[in-house]
Structures are given as structure tokens and as C-alpha cells.
């Protein structure tokens, strides 16, 4: 959303209305095509862009400088650490056409309830993260994460399960 005065006013009014419902979105954070099902806190410098929609459950917390883009469904009681990227699309890679001109490849991302995603995590398109899972700092998630699994690394791998 460009930073015109009109757009700034519209964003302020949306944030004000959400705050009355228990959704706190701090300064320098923007969002579009996003629905909040309950209470939420979004720290500064975050960008949430639904393509076509991002649905966020209740009691959600997202730390500073995160970027969410694509079709993303997030359950209740989810914590997201700073500088996390959840990216539901990428470019085509056919050699018949330059990459910049290729259409985006999109797949939805599903994040269950009671999930903790630590700092500097990257979650790529088409991934599902099961209920109760923990994604360790710096992980790159390219495949589904089972319920209550703890995953770390690049690419993310299960190291154990929550008891």
C-alpha cells in the first residue's frame, strides 16, 4: 500500500477498529487481505499480505520485522519470532523464459494451533505445520512438520517430539 495520506488514514482507521477487538498492530506494520479471528499482537515493522487471504486465529503473537505473503491459515495460540518469513509463492523456473517474466507458483500454508516459530525462520509454499510443533531459530521449512515435532536446520528436520 503506497504511503499516501489517504492510505495512511485508512490504515489508521483499520488498526483502530481492530484494537477495539483486541488486535494490536504496532507502528510501521502494514496488513492487507488479512482476517483476525480473535486477539492478536503484531510488533513493529511487520508486513502481512494475503494473496488471496491470510487467516489468523486467536491469541496470536508476531514479533518484529516479520513478512507473511500468500494464502496462509494460522491456528490459535501461535507465536512467531522476529524476522520470520512465511512465503506462499515463488517464481517459475522454466529455462524457456527469463525468471523475472514467469508467473508465480502459489500453494497455501497451514500452521496449526499451539505452534512456536522461533526467530529468523523461513517457511516456504505448500507446507503444513502440525499442532503443537516448534520450529527452531534459523530453520528453513520446505516440507510438512508433524504434530508436536521439534524441527531445526536447513532444510528443517525433526530432532525430537514434545512430550
Amino acid at each position: 500500500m503506497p504511503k499516501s495520506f489517504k492510505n495512511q488514514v485508512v490504515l489508521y482507521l483499520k488498526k483502530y477498529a481492530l484494537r477495539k477487538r483486541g488486535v494490536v498492530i504496532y507502528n510501521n506494520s502494514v496488513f492487507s487481505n488479512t482476517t483476525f479471528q480473535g486477539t492478536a499482537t503484531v510488533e513493529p515493522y511487520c508486513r502481512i499480505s494475503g494473496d488471496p487471504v491470510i487467516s489468523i486465529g486467536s491469541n496470536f503473537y508476531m514479533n518484529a520485522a516479520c513478512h507473511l505473503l500468500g494464502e496462509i491459515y494460522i491456528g490459535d495460540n501461535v507465536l512467531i519470532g522476529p524476522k520470520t518469513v512465511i512465503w506462499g509463492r515463488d517464481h517459475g523456473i522454466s529455462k524457456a523464459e527469463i525468471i523475472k517474466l514467469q508467473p508465480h507458483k502459489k500453494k497455501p500454508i497451514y500452521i496449526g494451533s499451539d505452534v512456536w516459530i522461533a526467530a529468523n525462520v523461513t517457511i516456504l509454499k505448500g507446507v503444513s505445520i502440525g499442532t503443537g510443533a516448534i520450529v527452531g531459530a534459523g530453520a528453513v521449512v520446505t516440507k510438512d512438520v508433524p504434530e508436536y515435532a521439534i524441527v531445526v536446520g536447513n532444510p528443517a528436520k525433526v530432532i525430537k517430539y514434545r512430550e
Side-chain angles (χ1 to χ4, degrees):
M1 180 181 288
K3 292 186 177 184
S4 72
F5 179 73
K6 178 183 174 187
N7 286 341
Q8 287 178 348
V9 170
V10 168
L11 184 60
Y12 173 81
L13 292 173
K14 285 181 180 178
K15 285 182 180 181
Y16 182 78
L18 285 170
R19 189 176 284 261
K20 287 185 169 193
R21 292 183 28 223
V23 177
V24 178
I25 300 176
Y26 286 99
N27 293 337
N28 300 310
S29 288
V30 296
F31 62 98
S32 62
N33 301 327
T34 303
T35 60
F36 294 92
Q37 308 302 322
T39 59
T41 301
V42 177
E43 296 289 350
Y45 304 106
C46 292
R47 182 178 188 98
I48 306 171
S49 302
D51 181 16
V53 68
I54 294 176
S55 177
I56 297 173
S58 187
N59 200 25
F60 173 77
Y61 177 80
M62 184 164 61
N63 212 318
C66 294
H67 195 159
L68 281 60
L69 173 69
E71 183 177 358
I72 304 168
Y73 302 94
I74 299 173
D76 298 332
N77 303 306
V78 172
L79 301 169
I80 298 179
K83 299 182 181 177
T84 291
V85 174
I86 302 175
W87 208 254
R89 70 179 192 199
D90 60 22
H91 290 279
I93 57 170
S94 169
K95 68 179 184 175
E97 185 175 17
I98 63 171
I99 291 173
K100 184 178 179 180
L101 299 177
Q102 293 187 40
H104 288 118
K105 307 282 185 181
K106 301 176 184 182
K107 289 185 182 174
I109 295 170
Y110 298 93
I111 298 172
S113 295
D114 188 30
V115 171
W116 173 25
I117 300 168
N120 293 305
V121 170
T122 301
I123 299 172
L124 300 178
K125 69 178 174 32
V127 169
S128 291
I129 297 178
T131 296
I134 297 173
V135 181
V140 178
V141 183
T142 60
K143 295 182 180 173
D144 291 352
V145 176
E147 290 187 351
Y148 301 102
I150 299 173
V151 298
V152 298
N154 180 5
K157 293 186 175 154
V158 176
I159 57 166
K160 63 182 179 176
Y161 287 84
R162 288 175 61 191
E163 296 179 8

